[in-house]
Amino acid sequence: MTTSTPGTGTGDVDAAVLQELDRLRDSIDNIDAAVVHMLAERFKCTQQVGRLKAAHQLPPADPARESRQIARLRSLAENAKLDPAFAEKFLGFIIAEVIRHHERIAGDTAADPAVGTH
């Protein structure tokens, strides 16, 4: 049996195919939600790192650690059969955001030293 679903651009597609497509998309949606929650947890930790760095006048960026993390993530990506270049770009985006947060925290702490002690 074929069915046409308005607005999906699927035309006449077997209902079993559409059901499998929905199942896969539900899995993708669940994974996306998990990724967002994991990123939120990661940023909670990096905010704590930023406050600690600011309280002790440490620089917002740590190029040596960033290099180690990139190498580590590339290796993890290769083992997971994920494009290491993509993984590196993804981590680079996250690191840039973390550094931006750390710079803001450092600026806030310099303006109000009590900020780093919360």
Side-chain angles (χ1 to χ4, degrees):
M1 174 179 162
T2 61
T3 175
S4 181
T5 306
T8 62
T10 57
D12 289 332
V13 178
D14 187 276
V17 172
L18 293 176
Q19 186 178 6
E20 179 67 0
L21 185 60
D22 286 343
R23 186 191 68 75
L24 291 167
R25 286 179 172 164
D26 286 345
S27 292
I28 291 167
D29 292 349
N30 289 336
I31 293 166
D32 287 347
V35 167
V36 167
H37 287 285
M38 292 300 295
L39 284 171
E41 286 301 311
R42 188 185 196 287
F43 276 100
K44 286 177 188 174
C45 291
T46 61
Q47 292 291 327
Q48 292 174 1
V49 168
R51 287 191 292 275
L52 187 61
K53 284 180 171 184
H56 296 279
Q57 294 81 45
L58 296 169
D62 184 344
R65 173 161 167 78
E66 293 159 24
S67 292
R68 288 190 309 273
Q69 285 298 94
I70 288 169
R72 180 178 159 271
L73 197 69
R74 286 184 68 90
S75 176
L76 289 170
E78 287 173 8
N79 290 336
K81 306 296 186 236
L82 179 69
D83 179 6
F86 169 77
E88 183 174 346
K89 287 179 197 173
F90 183 72
L91 183 62
F93 176 77
I94 292 171
I95 289 171
E97 186 68 8
V98 168
I99 291 169
R100 189 180 68 77
H101 290 181
H102 288 187
E103 289 169 343
R104 182 186 42 78
I105 292 168
D108 291 349
T109 302
D112 181 4
V115 169
T117 62
H118 296 284

